[in-house]
């Protein structure tokens, strides 16, 4: 079996090794993204990934999984923020034993979110010792770079795949730059030295990462796991490297792909780096699930990574989650901070209301809002939004015209502008997105 898989992967590598921009889809000439890449559709609990389904937001807890109360609390927070799948570390018998209890407590809270078990080194032992964990999880994540070493690698990988087959679970085969299969990397380096025109070391290591994921996927298929129960990822921490790896991976398989820049970093660095990489790939139709791997600021909620993922998908036109507010950056014409404060109030208000609106007023997530600070661009931007307000800048008449679907509806004045504008938004949602009684 190994020789068959190796031969198939070598043939694939030769076929795609020299591909360049000519082989990639031609970008559209209008203001649209490339068509979504056609992939297998994978069912993960009640969520479908790939196969033309919307890109799914995923996150991961940073609690000790064995601490059931803390893990349940954080999973619930991530779910309420909009995470559609949540991954948890399963690294010891205590964490494996906790998984069924976490699932049970979430169900008691009415939270039905697929939980993914993240396994490294000893996953085969943990699932053998805690079969209830294998059954409770919605998906297993296996890292081919550290599933096992030497002669044990193939056996331990096969054991995990056998659990997935037994319990009808999908698997994410997730290769990672930081835990690359060293034996495979050394082998490809040796092969590269025999080339008439050797690749640079970076290209060889990218090929090793891709091959690690693809070879493992084909091995899983040979073991009996259906192709529509496999998701692939090949994460690196550099923007350009990630783009190159996923373009190649997308060319060479039809498996659903999970996107994420690993170890993206803290604060704006992590947000910018992740957005720069993932936006390019999604624009090219690549990617079926995403995670923004942010290092949380001290004391900051883990949910920020979910919000960033949602906003990335929404601003790139992939999906709508909550109305986003267009607001000007401010300049010498807007010395007051009122428009910034109003923009924040409006954004927080619609985000808080969205869980209710999603059920009672479907479509409200597509609403566009504008909070502008002066007469230069204020009226124009406000007319482009479903609801927009143009606040008075420095020295302007203390009046704030409000535009609804391009038409001026009312002019607000006085100290209650924020309250009155939010009320207008609520009224608009109530009338525009009312659920049909029929």
């Amino acid at each position: 079996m190994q020789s068959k898989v190796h031969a198939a992967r070598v043939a694939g590598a030769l076929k795609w090794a020299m591909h360049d921009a000519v082989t990639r889809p031609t970008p559209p000439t209008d203001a649209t993204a490339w068509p979504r890449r056609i992939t297998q559709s994978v069912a993960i609990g009640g969520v479908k990934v790939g196969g033309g389904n919307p890109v799914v937001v995923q996150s991961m807890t940073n609690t000790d999984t064995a601490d059931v109360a803390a893990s349940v609390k954080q999973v619930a927070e991530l779910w309420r923020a909009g995470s559609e799948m949540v991954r948890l570390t399963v690294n010891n018998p205590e964490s494996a034993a906790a998984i069924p209890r976490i699932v049970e407590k979430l169900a008691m809270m009415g939270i039905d979110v697929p939980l993914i078990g993240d396994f490294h080194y000893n996953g085969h032992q943990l699932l053998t010792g805690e079969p209830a964990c294998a059954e409770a999880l919605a998906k297993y994540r296996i890292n081919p770079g550290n599933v096992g070493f030497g002669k044990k690698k193939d056996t331990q990988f096969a054991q995990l795949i056998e659990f997935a087959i037994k319990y009808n679970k999908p698997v994410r085969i997730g290769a990672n730059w930081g835990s690359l299969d060293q034996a495979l990397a050394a082998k490809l380096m040796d092969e590269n030295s025999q080339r008439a025109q050797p690749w640079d070391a970076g290209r060889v290591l990218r090929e090793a990462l891709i091959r690690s994921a693809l070879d493992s996927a084909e091995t899983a298929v040979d073991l009996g796991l259906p192709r529509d129960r496999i998701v692939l990822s090949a994460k690196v921490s550099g923007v350009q490297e990630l783009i190159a790896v996923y373009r190649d991976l997308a060319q060479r398989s039809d498996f659903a792909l999970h996107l994420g820049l690993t170890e993206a970093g803290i604060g704006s660095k992590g947000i910018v780096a992740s957005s720069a990489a993932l936006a390019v790939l999604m624009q090219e139709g690549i990617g079926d699930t995403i995670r923004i791997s942010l290092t949380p600021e001290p004391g900051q909620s883990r949910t920020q990574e979910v919000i960033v993922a949602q906003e990335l998908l929404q601003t790139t036109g992939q999906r709508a989650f909550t109305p986003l507010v267009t607001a000007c950056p401010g300049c010498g014409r807007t010395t007051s901070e009122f428009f910034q404060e109003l923009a924040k109030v409006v954004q927080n208000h619609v985000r808080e209301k969205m869980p209710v609106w999603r059920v009672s007023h479907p479509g409200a997530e597509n609403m566009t809002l504008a909070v502008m600070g002066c007469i230069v661009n204020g009226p124009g931007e406000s007319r482009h939004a479903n609801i927009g307000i143009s606040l008075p800048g420095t020295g302007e008449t203390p009046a704030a015209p409000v535009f609804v679907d391009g038409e001026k509806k009312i002019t607000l004045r006085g100290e209650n502008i924020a309250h009155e504008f939010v009320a207008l938004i609520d009224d608009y949602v109530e009338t525009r997105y009312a659920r049909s009684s029929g």
Side-chain angles (χ1 to χ4, degrees):
M1 181 186 71
Q2 289 180 336
S3 60
K4 184 178 84 170
V5 172
H6 176 69
R9 301 320 318 156
V10 168
L14 291 173
K15 176 181 178 181
W16 295 108
M18 302 307 294
H19 86 275
D20 56 20
V22 175
T23 68
R24 290 170 49 214
T26 301
T29 56
D30 59 2
T32 60
W34 274 313
R36 288 282 301 283
R37 167 177 167 269
I38 298 172
T39 72
Q40 299 284 334
S41 177
V42 184
I44 303 170
V47 177
K48 288 189 176 180
V49 168
N53 290 291
V55 179
V56 171
V57 173
Q58 181 176 317
S59 60
M60 185 174 184
T61 60
N62 61 357
T63 58
D64 178 357
T65 305
D67 185 338
V68 174
S71 297
V72 167
K73 181 175 183 290
Q74 191 170 81
V75 171
E77 289 172 350
L78 292 166
W79 175 77
R80 291 190 184 100
S83 184
E84 295 160 294
M85 297 188 292
V86 179
R87 181 158 51 110
L88 299 95
T89 296
V90 185
N91 62 331
N92 53 38
E94 294 76 19
S95 61
I99 290 293
R101 295 158 57 201
I102 292 170
V103 171
E104 181 181 11
K105 288 185 178 295
L106 289 169
M108 292 172 63
M109 298 166 65
I111 297 174
D112 182 18
V113 59
L115 299 186
I116 301 160
D118 195 51
F119 295 101
H120 300 273
Y121 308 109
N122 60 350
H124 62 295
Q125 296 173 338
L126 297 175
L127 293 185
T128 299
E130 293 287 345
C133 172
E135 188 170 7
L137 289 168
K139 183 174 77 169
Y140 312 152
R141 188 276 177 130
I142 306 172
N143 184 339
N146 58 31
V147 69
F149 302 97
K151 295 179 180 179
K152 294 182 179 180
K153 176 183 176 181
D154 291 343
T155 301
Q156 292 173 187
F157 179 82
Q159 284 181 274
L160 286 167
I161 298 302
E162 286 166 6
F163 274 106
I165 294 169
K166 179 179 179 179
Y167 291 104
N168 194 28
K169 303 295 182 180
V171 169
R172 171 157 72 93
I173 295 173
N176 193 292
W177 197 259
S179 51
L180 186 60
D181 185 330
Q182 294 302 308
L184 177 59
K187 177 178 178 295
L188 293 182
M189 283 290 190
D190 289 341
E191 291 178 0
N192 185 56
S193 67
Q194 304 302 314
R195 288 191 174 93
Q197 295 183 324
W199 297 347
D200 62 67
R203 185 174 178 184
V204 177
L205 292 177
R206 287 197 299 271
E207 178 66 15
L209 189 70
I210 294 164
R211 284 276 299 279
S212 179
L214 290 175
D215 288 0
S216 299
E218 294 300 335
T219 298
V221 171
D222 285 344
L223 289 167
L225 187 67
R227 299 181 75 85
D228 64 358
R229 277 195 239 151
I230 297 174
V231 178
L232 294 187
S233 66
K235 292 186 175 182
V236 300
S237 56
V239 171
Q240 297 300 335
E241 289 84 359
L242 190 83
I243 293 170
V245 164
Y246 273 91
R247 281 175 173 167
D248 206 346
L249 193 57
Q251 290 268 4
R252 294 162 63 172
S253 81
D254 68 345
F255 293 112
L257 298 181
H258 169 74
L259 303 185
L261 190 74
T262 190
E263 288 90 40
I266 193 168
S268 60
K269 186 270 179 184
I271 294 172
V272 171
S274 291
S275 299
L278 271 58
V280 170
L281 291 168
M282 289 189 295
Q283 179 71 14
E284 296 179 10
I286 298 171
D288 302 290
T289 79
I290 68 168
R291 182 192 171 205
I292 307 296
S293 300
L294 294 182
T295 303
E297 298 276 1
Q300 189 177 63
S301 170
R302 188 72 164 178
T303 58
Q304 187 188 21
E305 69 176 50
V306 179
I307 294 170
V308 173
Q310 288 182 329
E311 292 181 349
L312 176 59
L313 288 172
Q314 188 150 349
T315 54
T316 55
Q318 303 287 330
R319 292 182 65 182
F321 294 92
T322 188
L324 296 181
V325 180
T326 297
C328 66
C331 66
R333 291 175 176 270
T334 56
T335 53
S336 167
E337 293 184 349
F338 182 73
F339 81 94
Q340 295 115 303
E341 294 168 357
L342 179 57
K344 184 175 181 180
V345 165
V346 170
Q347 186 68 78
N348 289 342
H349 177 76
V350 296
R351 185 169 288 280
E352 290 170 3
K353 296 281 284 189
M354 200 57 233
V356 175
W357 285 346
R358 189 171 290 111
V359 176
S360 61
H361 296 79
E365 65 273 13
N366 297 300
M367 179 172 56
T368 57
L369 303 169
V371 177
M372 303 303 295
C374 78
I375 199 171
V376 173
N377 292 319
E381 285 284 359
S382 296
R383 285 191 176 93
H384 287 307
N386 290 127
I387 307 179
I389 186 169
S390 180
L391 295 165
T394 305
E396 294 176 11
T397 303
V402 175
F403 300 84
V404 177
D405 291 331
E407 301 293 331
K408 182 177 175 182
K409 179 173 181 177
I410 191 173
T411 298
L412 302 180
R413 295 179 173 85
E415 299 180 356
N416 294 318
I417 287 178
H419 176 77
E420 293 172 2
F421 185 63
V422 167
L424 288 170
I425 294 171
D426 289 343
D427 289 343
Y428 184 86
V429 171
E430 190 65 35
T431 56
R432 172 74 180 273
Y433 301 106
R435 183 185 291 276
S436 172
S437 59

